[in-house]
Structure formats: structure tokens, C-alpha cells
Amino acid sequence: MVAKTTGLKRYGALAGKLIPAPIWNDIRQLNNRTKPFGDKFDQLLRLWKMNNTVLSPVTHLNNTLANFFMADMHDVEPSDVIKALEVLSQYGRGEAAAVK
């Protein structure tokens, strides 16, 4: 991975640490050797993850049900939800009362 500001390569937990030369050579060669395949694999993996989370109705249903369950555990009443929606709508309109 190349940093956008400095152009230096970063290697996660190994960044900035002294590592033995043979291990560094293996990491460097592996990074260069898998470049075209690695990029395509990253794109495929990103697409797969997005389909299993962002585009999945099951994920949204699970999150919604979990929110209702947690609200019930914390004794959130319907009146509290109505008040929260009013504050959100005021904030969306930019009213100063909602910002306080």
C-alpha cells in the first residue's frame, strides 16, 4: 500500500520496524510478483464484500431488528423516538435549537 502524502510503502504492523534482510526481501518480492493478480483479487474481494453487506437486504434487516431489540432493552418509548425524529428534522433544516 502506498501512502498518498509521502509515497512511502507501509506494511501494517511492520511499518517502521527493523526486520531481517531475508524476510524483507521475501515481502518485497511477493509484493512485486503478485501485482497484476493481486489488484484483480482486491477488486473481486471488494465487490464480494460489498454484495454481502451494503447490498444485502438480510444485513439491513438484522441491523434494524438489533436496533429495536437494543431500544427495548434500554426502555426507549415511542415518545422518545418521536422527540428524536423532531430533533433530527430541526437539525436537517439548520435550526439553532437542535444544535444545542
Side-chain angles (χ1 to χ4, degrees):
M1 177 166 107
V2 177
K4 291 182 178 151
T5 55
T6 61
L8 297 174
K9 292 190 176 187
R10 296 183 186 172
Y11 292 98
L14 296 177
K17 293 186 178 179
L18 180 65
I19 49 178
I23 295 174
W24 170 250
N25 285 334
D26 289 344
I27 292 172
R28 189 172 38 99
Q29 289 172 5
L30 183 65
N31 189 25
N32 292 336
R33 191 176 342 136
T34 61
K35 193 65 171 166
F37 173 73
D39 290 342
K40 293 299 177 189
F41 179 75
D42 285 344
Q43 290 173 354
L44 182 65
L45 186 62
R46 199 170 292 118
L47 179 66
W48 181 81
K49 286 182 177 183
M50 188 171 59
N51 283 327
N52 285 323
T53 54
V54 176
L55 302 177
S56 172
V58 175
T59 300
H60 294 295
L61 179 66
N62 287 341
N63 289 341
T64 303
L65 292 177
N67 288 337
F68 278 111
F69 180 73
M70 286 187 285
D72 184 50
M73 285 188 344
H74 291 282
D75 295 327
V76 174
E77 299 292 327
S79 61
D80 298 328
V81 174
I82 292 171
K83 288 178 189 174
L85 290 174
E86 288 173 357
V87 170
L88 281 174
S89 68
Q90 290 173 358
Y91 182 77
R93 291 191 302 260
E95 295 179 13
V99 178
K100 291 181 184 178

